[in-house]
Amino acid sequence: MAITKLDLQPGLYREGTNYSAEGRYYDGDKIRFRSGKPEKIGGWVRLSNAQFLGISRSLWNWATLDGSNLLGVGTNLKYYIENGGSYSDITPIRKVVDPMSANPFATAYSTLNGTITDTSTSITLTSGASFPPAGVILIGTEQINYTSVITNQLIGLTRGYNGTTPAGHTTGAVVGCSTLIVTDANHGAVPNDFVTFSGATGPFGGFSAANINATFQVLSVINTGSYSINVEGVFSTSAASGGGSAAIATYEVNTGLDIYISGLGWGTDPWGAGGWGSAGTTGIGQQLRLWSADNYGEDLVISPRGADGIYYWDATLGLSERAVLLSTLASTDLVPNTPYTHQQFVPNITNEISSSAIERFVIAMGANPYDPTDPNTTFDPLLVRWSDQDNPYEWVPAITNQSGEFRLSHGSYIVGSINTRQEIVIWTDSALYSMQYLGAPYVWKLQLLMDNLSVMSPNSMATANNLVFWMGIDKFYVYSGRVETLECSLRQYIFNDINTSQGYQVFSGTNEAYNEIWWFYCSANSTTVDKYVVYNYVDRVWYYGTLNRTAWLDSPLRSSPLAADYNNRMIYHEVGTDDVSGLTPVAINAYVQSSDFDIGDGDKFAFVWRILPDVNFNGSYVDAPSVQMTIKPRRNAGAPYSAADNPTVNSQDNYSLTRSYNIQQFNGQVYTRLRGRQMALRVESTDVGVAWQLGSIRIDLKPDGRR
């Protein structure tokens, strides 16, 4: 008999088969490697009970001069500033119509033209002319949601909507509608846009002024002159128009989508990129709402990618004030030798904005170029343009200021950028540039660092330890003064599992307390972010797992890393041992599994009769924390794992009596009875209150024949 110590190499390895990875760990979830040993990651807890609207993909943390610790939260619907667990809406206003046309609101109303049962899937009206493309109707006491109108028929029904009871209805029954059609010429709205009405009068057709003077999301766009809104819980009692002659409509900036939708055609990826004769897909990804943000002093500059200009939020005005277009703050003086003002030459569209904190410039990555004869030049996705130093409102180059621009020569568009201690690093879709401040008269130097590389998304890069890391479309990179491919023991596994059509959802962040870079991505069959991969840049090891997050930020101003989730909340990570994003703690299922090991070259069967565990439970808070430790045998590399004992390793300390975990007593040995030519070790925890780290586990085994 021989006791064998399982000292496996740190990190997960998936670049070969399970058997060829002998001596390594092969699989895991919710674990990390520290000092060469696997351990369960920390838990998480919600920042507060407050929620925001939309899916957040942008987080930015800074402090103001009065000591306020502010967090910018950009979603596909809004932009917020979090302070003390509350979210203040600073979403910019796009347009104010004061007043709207007379009586701009119209009700939809009709009667049934035919009897329906409680399961009917379509409704025929006496007249469907006044009904918007989608909405909610009331017949008797039943609410019904519909998604389409074809002449006088409502189809795409959801019966018993809002918890009402489906019922049969007879010919002539009244059909009231909670959806109003709003008439506003050149409104510029898209579905889900937010609009606030004020000054409307009533009642008309069953709606009061109080029902209308509120904030709504646009339900559907009918044409450039009209759209629909839904007034929750109120239904028309007649066909009517109303609202008076003094109604005001205030439109917020257009909302964006929460997933990426590829575009086709000329100007996207190269023709044939997906195979000979196939159209390319756009890499700019304007459909997915991505905000860029940076602080300018204590103030904030933000911009929605590829959709609008630069917005500025002044901290001295307080959280009740919204961000405003930077151009509205610029000088209205005429630019010499032109008929235009300085206001008109502030970039009106950009892919990304950045602020050079030390030199105090606002920089647009992708912008419309400066042309003294035309302030509305065509957007150039490769143009880097910057404001005057210490003057974010001045974008007209002159001998008396330092504003200017530079067009990059390699690539099709700027994907993203990141500030480091000595430079700004800029990615195009095929090259990497360095941007360094020189001072007047040249101001900025832009230098090509490397061509013929890739980057997955605008948020797929992170900087730590004076290094810049990023995910490309088929491998990872690091920039340390020179660009190198990052050796990855999971490269094949990760890039075979990414939904590349949702590559723009990929985002990266640091967890510097553990020397980690995290990348979150959509797995192959998912359109939402559900997986992550981690690189420990000190130990140079990789691991991965499953987790639903949409944004990540590790800020020195916060006690631990912050993330946004799909429940529209902010989450603190590395807190405790459990998932406390809900009202009660939920266990985090964490496991690690080795690759197969054998005796010699696997020519003999091995018999395992006991395990000598080595596990500590530092950080646990339950009385008797435990993990399940399983030896999984099989006959050969192609065979399935056989049944085996699943001994539980229990702490014998009474944790209710002491919280000192430095010295612990565990089960000294666990008896098993199993045999196989190859075996794998799996360690897993599924209970609340458990934290663990593996040491050097030993197994007692002996040869058991050659069959």
Side-chain angles (χ1 to χ4, degrees), residues 67-111:
S68 297
N69 189 335
L70 305 181
L71 177 71
V73 181
T75 79
N76 65 305
L77 301 178
K78 296 271 192 177
Y79 200 95
Y80 297 91
I81 292 181
E82 180 273 333
N83 185 30
S86 298
Y87 298 95
S88 298
D89 186 353
I90 68 159
T91 308
I93 300 301
R94 173 177 59 85
K95 180 181 182 181
V96 177
V97 180
D98 181 10
M100 303 173 71
S101 59
N103 296 319
F105 306 100
T107 64
Y109 182 86
S110 188
T111 57

Side-chain angles (χ1 to χ4, degrees), residues 417-466:
S417 65
I418 197 168
N419 277 285
T420 69
R421 188 176 64 179
Q422 298 177 334
E423 60 193 328
I424 300 173
V425 182
I426 304 172
W427 288 260
T428 72
D429 56 328
S430 66
L432 187 69
Y433 283 84
S434 169
M435 183 174 180
Q436 294 179 307
Y437 181 66
L438 299 178
Y442 301 105
V443 189
W444 290 96
K445 175 185 177 182
L446 284 103
Q447 179 181 5
L448 178 66
L449 297 174
M450 186 173 180
D451 200 1
N452 195 29
L453 51 73
S454 65
V455 61
M456 183 65 78
S457 75
N459 293 325
S460 63
M461 58 284 291
T463 179
N465 202 32
N466 292 323

Side-chain angles (χ1 to χ4, degrees), residues 64-210:
T64 60
L65 296 177
D66 65 5
S68 297
N69 189 335
L70 305 181
L71 177 71
V73 181
T75 79
N76 65 305
L77 301 178
K78 296 271 192 177
Y79 200 95
Y80 297 91
I81 292 181
E82 180 273 333
N83 185 30
S86 298
Y87 298 95
S88 298
D89 186 353
I90 68 159
T91 308
I93 300 301
R94 173 177 59 85
K95 180 181 182 181
V96 177
V97 180
D98 181 10
M100 303 173 71
S101 59
N103 296 319
F105 306 100
T107 64
Y109 182 86
S110 188
T111 57
L112 278 182
N113 185 14
T115 299
I116 63 170
T117 69
D118 60 355
T119 59
S120 295
T121 57
S122 65
I123 292 174
T124 302
L125 304 174
T126 304
S127 174
S130 63
F131 283 73
V136 179
I137 59 174
L138 178 70
I139 308 176
T141 59
E142 181 190 3
Q143 293 185 30
I144 303 172
N145 180 266
Y146 69 93
T147 59
S148 184
V149 180
I150 299 178
T151 313
N152 294 329
Q153 265 198 336
L154 306 183
I155 60 176
L157 305 184
T158 300
R159 302 297 301 271
Y161 192 65
N162 280 335
T164 57
T165 302
H169 306 285
T170 59
T171 300
V174 170
V175 181
C177 188
S178 67
T179 307
L180 293 176
I181 295 178
V182 182
T183 299
D184 188 5
N186 302 314
H187 54 79
V190 299
N192 294 319
D193 271 6
F194 287 85
V195 56
T196 300
F197 300 109
S198 58
T201 59
F204 60 93
F207 294 87
S208 68

Side-chain angles (χ1 to χ4, degrees), residues 215-429:
T215 299
F216 300 91
Q217 275 189 275
V218 172
L219 184 63
S220 62
V221 174
I222 300 170
N223 51 48
T224 57
S226 63
Y227 55 88
S228 67
I229 60 171
N230 190 62
V231 184
E232 190 71 31
V234 182
F235 294 87
S236 59
T237 57
S238 64
S241 295
S245 59
I248 300 170
T250 302
Y251 296 92
E252 297 180 10
V253 294
N254 293 132
T255 59
L257 297 183
D258 59 352
I259 64 171
Y260 183 91
I261 297 177
S262 299
L264 300 175
W266 181 260
T268 62
D269 286 346
W271 180 260
W276 177 253
S278 63
T281 58
T282 178
I284 297 178
Q286 295 179 1
Q287 298 90 344
L288 179 69
R289 174 51 50 87
L290 298 176
W291 290 87
S292 53
D294 207 338
N295 55 287
Y296 189 83
E298 68 170 350
D299 301 333
L300 180 71
V301 285
I302 58 176
S303 182
R305 183 178 180 86
D308 215 335
I310 304 169
Y311 291 92
Y312 195 94
W313 180 78
D314 189 336
T316 61
L317 299 179
L319 293 170
S320 61
E321 293 296 315
R322 293 178 180 262
V324 298
L325 272 173
L326 188 63
S327 59
T328 64
L329 304 175
S331 170
T332 57
D333 294 340
L334 288 175
V335 176
N337 304 315
T338 79
Y340 306 110
T341 67
H342 289 260
Q343 263 191 358
Q344 293 174 281
F345 288 110
V346 177
N348 56 36
I349 186 170
T350 181
N351 270 350
E352 182 175 297
I353 55 96
S354 178
S355 172
S356 176
I358 298 176
E359 294 85 11
R360 292 181 63 82
F361 289 85
V362 175
I363 304 168
M365 304 293 178
N368 55 305
Y370 171 73
D371 182 344
T373 66
D374 181 8
N376 297 308
T377 51
T378 302
F379 173 71
D380 186 343
L382 281 172
L383 186 72
V384 179
R385 193 174 168 196
W386 57 88
S387 71
D388 186 19
Q389 189 174 35
D390 286 318
N391 186 358
Y393 319 115
E394 180 59 81
W395 294 76
V396 176
I399 196 170
T400 55
N401 68 47
Q402 294 191 55
S403 64
E405 62 187 41
F406 184 92
R407 189 178 193 278
L408 306 182
S409 58
H410 291 242
S412 302
Y413 58 93
I414 294 174
V415 177
S417 65
I418 197 168
N419 277 285
T420 69
R421 188 176 64 179
Q422 298 177 334
E423 60 193 328
I424 300 173
V425 182
I426 304 172
W427 288 260
T428 72
D429 56 328

Side-chain angles (χ1 to χ4, degrees), residues 510-587:
T510 63
N511 190 352
E512 296 206 32
Y514 296 94
N515 307 312
E516 294 171 340
I517 305 294
W518 289 58
W519 285 274
F520 292 82
Y521 63 94
C522 301
S523 62
N525 298 314
S526 176
T527 57
T528 58
V529 176
D530 59 348
K531 290 193 176 181
Y532 67 86
V533 58
V534 179
Y535 177 62
N536 184 310
Y537 51 82
V538 171
D539 294 341
R540 298 185 179 182
V541 296
W542 293 83
Y543 30 101
Y544 60 79
T546 58
L547 197 59
N548 298 108
R549 296 292 183 263
T550 63
W552 180 280
L553 178 68
D554 187 11
S555 169
L557 299 176
R558 300 288 174 129
S559 58
S560 58
L562 274 167
D565 68 8
Y566 280 99
N567 293 318
N568 313 111
R569 286 193 174 95
M570 295 304 306
I571 305 295
Y572 274 121
H573 275 260
E574 307 300 341
V575 178
T577 62
D578 307 314
D579 174 359
V580 200
S581 56
L583 296 177
T584 57
V586 176

